[in-house]
Amino acid sequence: MNKITILILFLCFFLKYNVSAQCEIKNRILADGSMMYFFEPAVFYSTKSKSLKINIVTDKEHYFVALQPTPFPDKKVGKKIKEDLIIHLADNNTYKLAHYDTQYRRNDSIMQVLYLIDDKDLNAFSNYEALTAEINMEGTEFVRSYNFKLHKNAIKEQLICFLKKEEK
């Protein structure tokens, strides 16, 4: 009986630790003095020739999907990326996210493109996993399509963490 009790306590501790580790929100102060909150990017797609990392970024007023595609165009060409992002969710609907900003970080070794999630779509993004993204990568090819194979729930889980944090 004692072994079962210890096992149950161990499992409860382990599950609680996993849930809290998933909601590890980081922050960064931008050049304009505003604070941005984010999660470490999750790999959504990966092959030998290209990959895509995605995470949620917020200023506590707006929510953004941040994409980090590899390979990415050089800064001169990449700053021309202005097209919206198309994401297909598991609810069988297609969502268009408005392009917000294209950034080059860490001495231009990472390109990040921010897309604004419309407030009316927050519920869908926090309830359904992402299936596919279509990105117009100006200067490299017309549209890159990514059928997500890894961490399909990352957007949903990250949004849930942010929304729970705001409720407190």
Side-chain angles (χ1 to χ4, degrees), residues 25-92:
I25 299 171
K26 299 184 179 202
N27 61 53
R28 174 179 52 230
I29 298 175
L30 301 179
D32 66 0
S34 61
M35 181 75 76
M36 293 300 280
Y37 301 89
F38 63 96
F39 288 91
E40 283 299 318
V43 177
F44 265 55
Y45 182 89
S46 183
T47 66
K48 288 181 181 179
S49 62
K50 61 183 177 178
S51 70
L52 181 67
K53 292 181 180 179
I54 294 182
N55 64 318
I56 298 295
V57 176
T58 184
D59 58 4
K60 298 240 177 166
E61 195 173 325
H62 302 98
Y63 293 91
F64 305 91
V65 170
L67 302 183
Q68 294 179 0
T70 304
F72 56 84
D74 64 42
K75 202 172 201 174
K76 184 178 177 184
V77 174
K79 288 291 188 176
K80 295 179 182 177
I81 296 174
K82 302 286 185 205
E83 297 296 319
D84 296 338
L85 171 69
I86 306 295
I87 290 190
H88 303 270
L89 298 181
D91 65 351
N92 295 319

Side-chain angles (χ1 to χ4, degrees), residues 85-89 91 93-97 121 124-125 128:
L85 171 69
I86 306 295
I87 290 190
H88 303 270
L89 298 181
D91 65 351
N93 288 316
T94 302
Y95 299 87
K96 183 184 269 193
L97 282 63
D121 297 331
F125 277 89
Y128 297 99

Side-chain angles (χ1 to χ4, degrees), residues 153-167:
N153 282 326
I155 292 173
K156 178 175 97 168
E157 290 169 359
Q158 291 177 14
L159 264 177
I160 289 170
C161 286
F162 277 131
L163 295 172
K164 279 184 183 177
K165 199 83 160 168
E166 280 185 4
E167 288 176 3

